[in-house]
Structure formats: C-alpha cells, structure tokens
C-alpha cells in the first residue's frame, strides 16, 4: 500500500521528516518497506531555467535550423541551435542547460555541448513533450513574457516533490488502508508526548440543492449488503482533473482518468471507503436494487469481458439488468463517460465474505474489493459520500439533486470488551499507569464505557475489525506505548525440551551441508501450485490434490503433491537467464487428500510428508581449457543419491533396487527397504520437460524424508578392522540381456549371507560373438571371515555355490 507524505500532512500537522515518520510507522505496526521520491514531472525539471531569445537567425547550412542567442540570467548569452519552426526573437522559453537530464520514453538523455552543422550549441530550447509537461511536439513552449529570466523551471511550473511510503499492510489492519487511517495511528502515537490530533476535512457545507433527480434504493439481499447509500449530482461536466488531484493519484501509482472517477479514487485512498459513480441517465426505472442474479447470468464488466455470474455474486441492478458487481468491478454500460451529465454516487458496506468469494471467483482484485473483503467502516459511509459530492461540485460543477438515500436495515454495533489491568501488566510484561492506558485508548477512538479498580469496559468501533478480545486491546495498548519501551528483564526463563530421535532437523542440516559442499544450491519453492500439474500423470492422482477454497489465482490453487514441479519452475527460470549447469536441492513438505478414510484406524483426511528433491541439468562442470564439456548423466544422479543414503547410515547392500519407468521418469531406479520406497530417481520424460519448455535433460531424485527418518539406522558403534585377510574372486557370467547387475548382487547375498562382504561389477561386454540377446558381466566378490583365516576349501565351496545358483536361477554360463 502506498501513502503520500505530502498528502498525509493534510490530516496531521507535523514537520517530521519522511525517514522519521517511516520509523514511527514501523514501530506502531505499519511496516514501511521502502520510501521513494516522487516528482510530478520526472527529473523534477532540474537544470531547466526560464530564458529569453535575444537573437534568432537562419542556420547558414540547414533550412530547418535556427541560430539563437538566449539570455538565462547568467550575464552572458548562450548560443543554441534550435530546430523548432516557431522559434523567434523576444520569446520567453524553457532552456535545458549543459548537463541537464531529460527523459524520452523512459530513456535518459543528457544535454551536452556540441556542434550542429558546424555551429556550436550550449543547450536546448524545449518543447512540452521533451520535458514531460505534455505530448505536443509542434514547437517550443512560449511562456508569459513577464516571467523573470533565470527562474528555475521547477518553480515556474510548480513541480511537486513528494515521498511515498510503501507499507506492508497486514490483512488485519484494513483500518490503516487510507491516508486518514494512517494519520489516526500517527496521532495516537504522537499524542503520548505532544498535543496533536489528526484532522478530517469538514463536510458541513454539504446540502441538497434540489430534488429533481431522486433515485430509489432497495436492498433485496440484506445478508450480503448491510448498508447502501447514494445521492445524485446533476449538470456536471466531465473533464480533466486539476494538477493537485492528478499529482495525488500519480504519487500512489494511480493513473488519472477524469475529474469524477479521480475524485472517487481520491476519496477511497483518503478515507478507505470505496465509492462508485453511475451514469444516472442509464439507471432504468430510476431505481437501484441490490440483489443476486440467477446462476449463469451474463454480465460485461468495464474491461469489456463477458463474465458468467454465480447466484452468490452480489449485483447492483437497475429495474431491468445488472449494472455493477457489488464491491468488486463496474459494468461497461453504466459507468461514467465523457458524455455523462448526471451521476448517481454510491457508498456502501458489503459483507466481506460475499465480496471475497466473488473477487476470487472472477479473478478480479481491485482497490475496492481489497477493502470490502477485509471490512470497511460502516460508520464512514455517509461521510465519504458527502466528501466526494462536495469535491464533484467543486471540480465538475452541477448541483446535488436528491437527498442522501441511506438504507441501513440493521445498524452495526461496537464490540464490547472487558479489559483487566492485571492482564494488561501480565501480557505486556510491564506495569503501565492507568491514566496512560486510558489516554492511549481514547487516542485510538476506543470508548471507555465504564471503569472500576480492576479494569475497563470498552466499546471498540467497527472500523477496528481485528480488535474483538481483551488480548487484542492489550496489543493495541502496547503498540502505541511502544515495544521498545518495554525493558528486557535480567532473568532468563526457559523450558527444557527433548528433541525426538532421530532429530529430523539435525539430519537435514547434515545433508544440506553435504550437498552444498558438492556444489548444489538450495531451492525454496511455494507449497501452493497448479492443480492441473497432477491431472494427467499416472503416478499422481488428481483426487488426492488438496485444493484451496479461495485461491489467489489459478496458478496457486492447490497444495503440492510433489516437489518436482516447483523445482522445474526453478530450472527453467535459471535456464532462461543463461544459468544452465544446475545442481539444486530442496527440502519441503508435500500434501495429500485421503478420500477413502478408514475411520476404524482414525486416519486423517489430510496427509503431510517431508521430501528431499535433487535436480541435475546441463554439464557436470564448467568448461575450461583442459576439461571438455561432459553432460550430466544417470550415474551422476545415482552417485549423489547413494552419497546421501550412505551419509545417513544406510547400507546400500541392504536396499532393494527396482527399475522404474512411468509418466515421470523415462528410466530410473527405486531404492526400497522392507517394501517401503526411500527414493526414486532417474531421467525425466520429454513430455514433462516439454510442459515447462525445458530442452536439456533433467535428472531428478525424490527422497521420502519421512521414511528415511522412520528407517534411519541406529548409531554406529566403532568396530576395529579384522586382522584376518579378505579374499577377492572374480566370475565372468554370460546371461540374458534383461538380467540386471542388481539381480546378480541380490542373488549373491541370498546364497552366502555370512562371509560374503561385497559384490561389484568391473566390466560389461556385449557383442555378436556372444549371441543374440546376451551380455557378459565381470563380477568381483569379496569374502572374509572376521574371526579366522579362510581356507582354500571354504573359498572354493562358496564360489561353487554361487556358480550353481547363477546357473540355476539365471540360466548363466560361466566363462
């Protein structure tokens, strides 16, 4: 949210600097994220002065150029070559001197001394478009002849310099979503040390001029609309707004449109109350009806999009049709246009739930919906209406042609809260004088209904939608008293707690350090993602997706089932920025909806799992003179997977390896323990990569961190090296092509469980001489008895048993 420093000072008289005000606002809960300078004309016309053309003659070598000498009040005449057709001696003009920065289509141009067709030029005589004062380029600006020579252009054109606070407004503080709201908070803080209060512009001058154009109002859906007020203003003229109003809007990032629309926007950001102006002549039947329309009704909004309405969308209608989506967006037909002469001005208090659902349903986020869906002040409705009506009379003319129609079926009451002094002291951690507490509450416009020795009974006004409990009131007292005014006590109180074993966070830190040391960068993606990611892929079930009821957008409408897609978004983001050699890892939670609930086992409807994802893409390492480019491959991701598992204490020989291929992986492996999958990894399919416009191969590993923690091996005890030697024996096995090394390894350990220590492969051969669909594995076996030296007979017995098993189970031929 943007707040203008100059605009804010209209409501609170203070000479505090923008930096000091920013510090105060942050301390009272309105965090100032940045302070930026605003100038009504970009560059502030710095370096441009008012001058007078003393001499003007034709350029000897160019028909369309003129040689001028200009007096800018420095005592000497500046020679300037000018290309404007209307330049003449005696004119008062704006002159950009040497070093001045001008801006053309956001490009910066610096005026320099130069020669144009052989003639020296020491500046530039300016047209209005060249210095940001208009769009015309027909010739230079000719100013009033009585203007003092040498006057800075910023002073002559009254350039406004302002500072804009960017406030990170939290959802509960909608009361501070306006300049008056911020001024109210500032005055509450400043009034604790000085005699100051904020000022609201007076609306006492409001009066009805006649009743020639009365529009009736009827609320059919009082649940969705708690209050609706309106007034007509007739005989207005739609035109450009004055500079002061345009500057106010431009300072906070709004584009001026016309005087009436600009006033409604101005009052919105001044008071926090959204307004809407209808063309009164387009209100059929001279009647406004607040209601919902049948499901599927077509309605065209101001952005010229036809939308299909829900029967829960609140509509502002005339006697025949809808004119506006209440609290969200106007309609195309009923808005103010250049031909509008009579308007109906609306000020209302809509149910926040209705507005929020409609806003999200149609993906329409506007300044009005932002405020209505959080809760505006129902007691501010008439004040804002009168304020806007007076401004429209002042800037657009016309007369107020009806009484204010105010339909308010059930008045919104204040929140009654009982606050005990001892609770204030306990929660704040410091005793605050009772008089100061009462002064703070009064400065926040919280009414003290009753007081006794124990505490206060308060009425909290409706504009503080977040203050409904005693703790909320105490927070308000502390906010204005000052968090920094609560001293830190000498004693430290703590509660001892024991981390669960294994400590998941400790293990995450260990693996994070490991991967970072191996060149990985940590990624952090949003838990919210697109539901459509999971709709067509077999490993995922779209019915298990946890969908958001009121999503911020269709791109963030569900909780992720996998880390994969967030990681791929990071991959393409980096690749688009020429960072193509990627090694990324991410820890994060994934979420599932269990549709088939087992009530006997009391299973939760929602399931949450922790995962670790690894992503490899591009080259293994950067290219240099002695290291050619080598692409990332399956064996690289496999090595990193096994490094992680080994670091956590898993024995790879105890894990079952299963080949996988599905909609996610073109090929890959799954490591399992007791039929529980610890990790799956491999090359992502072309279809997955194509969906993200990723051309390079991406290797991905998905660890189930929750299962890793569940099956994490216990603490390893020190074990001395055996003093008895190990024996190595090799076998060459001729087997069918579909036989994997994993099957050979698994079969070996099943055959000899005690003395076989490891099985490894050192060669694979395929060729025509072996026969069709055959391949040869060269396998090494390490055999050791930790308590005695093995004899030749024992070794031969083990090797014979292995060969017989391979011949029987795999149909192998021993070469």
């Amino acid at each position: 949210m943007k707040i203008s420093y100059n605009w804010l000072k209209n409501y609170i008289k203070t000479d505090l600097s923008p930096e000091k005000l920013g510090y105060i606002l942050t301390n009272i809960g309105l965090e100032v994220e940045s302070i930026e300078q605003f100038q009504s004309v970009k560059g502030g016309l710095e370096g441009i002065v008012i001058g007078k053309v003393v001499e003007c003659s034709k350029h000897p070598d160019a028909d369309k150029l003129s040689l001028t000498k200009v007096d800018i009040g420095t005592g000497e005449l500046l020679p300037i070559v000018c290309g404007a057709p209307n330049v003449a001696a005696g004119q008062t003009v704006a002159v950009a001197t040497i070093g001045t920065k001008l801006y053309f289509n956001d490009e910066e141009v610096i005026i320099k001394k130069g020669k144009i067709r052989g003639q020296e030029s020491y500046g530039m005589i300016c047209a209005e478009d060249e210095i940001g004062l208009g769009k015309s380029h027909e010739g230079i600006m000719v100013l009033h002849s009585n203007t003092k020579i040498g006057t800075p252009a910023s002073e002559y054109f009254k350039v406004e310099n302002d500072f804009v606070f960017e406030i990170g407004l939290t959802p509960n503080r909608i009361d501070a979503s306006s300049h008056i709201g911020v001024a109210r908070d500032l005055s509450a803080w400043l009034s604790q040390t000085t005699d100051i209060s904020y000022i609201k512009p007076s609306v006492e001058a409001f009066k009805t001029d006649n009743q020639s154009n009365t529009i009736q109002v009827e609320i059919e859906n009082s649940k969705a609309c708690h209050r609706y007020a309106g007034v007509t203003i007739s005989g207005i003229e739609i035109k450009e707004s004055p500079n002061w109003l345009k500057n106010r809007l431009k300072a906070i990032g709004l584009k001026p449109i016309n005087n009436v629309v600009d006033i409604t926007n101005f009052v919105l950001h001044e008071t926090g109350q959204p307004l809407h102006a209808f063309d009164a002549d387009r209100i059929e039947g001279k009647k406004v009806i607040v209601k919902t329309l049948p499901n599927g009704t077509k309605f065209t909004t101001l952005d010229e999009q036809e939308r299909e309405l829900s029967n829960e969308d609140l509509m502002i209608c005339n006697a025949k049709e809808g004119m506006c989506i209440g609290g969200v967006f106007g309609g195309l037909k009923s808005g103010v246009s250049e031909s509008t002469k009579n308007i109906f001005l609306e000020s209302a208090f809509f149910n926040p739930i209705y507005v929020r659902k409609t806003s999200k349903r149609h993906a329409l986020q506007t300044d009005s919906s932002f405020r209505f869906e959080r809760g505006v002040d129902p007691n501010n409705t008439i004040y804002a209406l009168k304020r806007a009506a007076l401004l429209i009379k002042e800037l657009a003319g016309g007369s107020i042609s009806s009484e204010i129609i105010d339909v308010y079926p059930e008045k919104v009451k204040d929140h009654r809260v009982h606050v005990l002094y001892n609770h204030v002291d306990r929660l704040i951690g410091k005793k605050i004088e009772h008089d100061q507490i009462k002064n703070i509450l009064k400065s926040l416009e919280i009414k003290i209904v009753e007081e006794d020795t124990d505490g206060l009974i308060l009425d909290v006004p409706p504009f503080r939608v977040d203050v409904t409990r005693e703790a909320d009131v105490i927070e308000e007292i502390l906010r204005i008293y000052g968090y920094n005014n609560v001293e830190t006590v000498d004693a430290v109180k703590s509660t001892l707690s024991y981390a669960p074993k294994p400590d998941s966070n400790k293990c995450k830190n260990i693996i994070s350090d490991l991967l970072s040391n191996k060149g990985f960068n940590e990624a952090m993606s949003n838990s919210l993602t697109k539901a459509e990611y999971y709709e067509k892929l077999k490993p995922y079930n779209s019915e298990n997706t946890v969908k958001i009821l009121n999503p911020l957008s269709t791109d963030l409408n569900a909780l992720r089932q996998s880390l994969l897609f967030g990681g791929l978004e990071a991959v393409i983001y980096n690749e688009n920025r020429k960072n193509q050699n990627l090694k990324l890892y991410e820890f994060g939670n994934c979420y599932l909806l269990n549709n088939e609930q087992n009530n006997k086992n009391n299973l939760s409807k929602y399931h949450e799992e922790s995962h670790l994802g690894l992503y490899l893409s591009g080259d293994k390492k950067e290219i240099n003179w002695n290291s050619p480019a080598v692409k990332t491959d399956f064996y690289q991701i496999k090595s990193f997977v096994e490094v992680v598992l080994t670091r956590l204490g898993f024995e790879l020989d105890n894990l079952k390896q299963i080949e996988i291929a599905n909609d996610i992986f073109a090929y890959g492996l799954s490591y399992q323990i007791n039929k529980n999958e610890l990790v799956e990894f491999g090359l992502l399919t072309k279809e997955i990569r194509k969906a993200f416009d990723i051309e390079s191969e991406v290797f991905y590993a998905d660890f189930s961190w929750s299962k890793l923690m569940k099956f994490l091996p216990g603490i390893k005890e020190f074990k001395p090296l055996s003093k008895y030697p190990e024996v190595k024996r090799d076998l060459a096995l001729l087997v069918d092509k579909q036989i994997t090394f994993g099957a050979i390894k698994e079969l070996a350990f099943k055959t000899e469980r005690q003395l076989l220590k490891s099985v490894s492969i050192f060669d694979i051969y395929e060729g025509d001489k072996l026969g069709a669909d055959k391949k040869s594995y060269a396998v090494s076996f390490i055999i050791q008895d930790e308590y005695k030296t093995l004899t030749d007979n024992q070794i031969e017995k083990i090797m014979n048993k292995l060969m017989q098993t391979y011949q029987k189970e795999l149909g192998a031929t021993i070469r």
Side-chain angles (χ1 to χ4, degrees), residues 626-645:
N626 67 349
S627 176
V630 179
K631 291 293 182 184
T632 294
D633 57 26
F634 174 78
Y635 295 102
Q636 187 183 23
I637 189 76
K638 182 174 183 286
S639 68
F640 286 128
V641 167
E642 293 184 348
V643 163
V644 170
L645 292 171

Side-chain angles (χ1 to χ4, degrees), residues 290-301:
V290 185
K291 62 180 181 179
T292 53
L293 295 176
N295 211 23
T297 301
K298 305 293 185 182
F299 180 72
T300 305
T301 45

Side-chain angles (χ1 to χ4, degrees), residues 236-240 258-260 336-340 343 396:
I236 64 169
E237 180 186 359
I238 302 297
K239 57 185 179 181
E240 186 179 356
N258 60 53
N259 50 358
V260 171
V336 172
S337 64
E338 293 180 359
S339 61
T340 298
I343 64 168

